[in-house]
Amino acid sequence: MKQEEKVLKIYTRHILSWEDVFEDGNTEWGSINLEHPATFETMALEPDLKRTIVEDLERFVSRREFYKKVGKAWKRGYLLYGPPGTGKSSLIAAMANFLKFDVFDLELASIRSDSHLKRVLLSTTNRSILVIEDIDCCKVDVQKRKHDSDSDSDSDSDSDLETEVT
């Protein structure tokens, strides 16, 4: 009953001050009520695809204890793509309304390092949907990724490289 009465929220990050961001990534999540009317009943979606998504979500939610038992993180990922106006945001809202999960909207452009990203992700709540929009437009430092995989030490040069998300 408590889950049925839950008011869903959509969270975005608010920067407390630019100085804090450069020092320790001091940001907080602000929220508003998610009042999007989308449901799987109202979505214009191919019936077989809709059924597949709903069954996948139900299977995921029902297997939480299994994930815990085998020592895996209880998470599920979807890659949504397409031009603007094709229903990606409505599908996310339908998923949130179906699962009764809050939504966290993250802009990777506001993330300055891998450790900053980790802190931001850990600040989200359980039973939520994390949306990372326009992930294809984000700059990724491939040289750092190659350097990290080649390096076994925690030298000062490694920490100097931690300025971009890999």
Side-chain angles (χ1 to χ4, degrees):
M1 286 177 63
K2 183 178 180 183
Q3 196 66 0
E4 288 294 321
E5 296 173 8
K6 180 179 179 181
V7 175
L8 299 181
K9 303 277 188 183
I10 183 162
Y11 292 85
T12 56
R13 291 182 51 247
H14 295 287
I15 297 171
L16 299 178
S17 77
W18 284 109
E19 294 79 24
D20 290 337
V21 168
F22 293 116
E23 288 177 23
D24 67 356
N26 190 10
T27 57
E28 65 180 20
W29 292 100
S31 70
I32 59 171
N33 290 349
L34 176 64
E35 297 175 340
H36 199 292
T39 65
F40 284 108
E41 290 77 31
T42 64
M43 289 281 305
L45 196 60
E46 191 177 308
D48 288 341
L49 179 58
K50 188 184 300 189
R51 185 173 36 260
T52 299
I53 293 170
V54 169
E55 288 172 357
D56 186 64
L57 292 171
E58 288 173 336
R59 182 176 44 255
F60 168 70
V61 170
S62 70
R63 297 182 75 194
R64 185 175 185 179
E65 287 303 314
F66 170 76
Y67 280 78
K68 187 176 180 178
K69 181 179 173 183
V70 298
K72 290 197 171 222
W74 187 59
K75 62 183 176 180
R76 183 77 178 108
Y78 294 93
L79 175 63
L80 306 180
Y81 59 93
T86 56
K88 298 178 297 291
S89 296
S90 293
L91 178 58
I92 293 165
M95 294 167 88
N97 287 328
F98 178 76
L99 297 170
K100 302 292 188 223
F101 282 14
D102 291 325
V103 176
F104 285 79
D105 187 15
L106 175 63
E107 289 184 35
L108 281 184
S110 67
I111 303 297
R112 69 178 196 296
S113 68
D114 290 343
S115 61
H116 183 216
L117 176 60
K118 191 178 293 185
R119 284 193 308 269
V120 169
L121 293 178
L122 289 173
S123 70
T124 62
T125 62
N126 290 329
R127 301 183 66 85
S128 62
I129 295 173
L130 175 67
V131 177
I132 304 173
E133 296 211 37
D134 300 326
I135 196 166
D136 58 329
C137 300
C138 296
K139 183 178 179 184
V140 175
D141 189 345
V142 177
Q143 288 303 105
K144 181 182 179 322
R145 182 181 299 148
K146 181 177 179 348
H147 183 276
D148 285 350
S149 65
D150 293 343
S151 174
D152 292 334
S153 68
D154 289 332
S155 68
D156 289 338
S157 62
D158 287 343
S159 63
D160 290 342
L161 287 172
E162 182 129 16
T163 58
E164 294 185 27
V165 177
T166 61

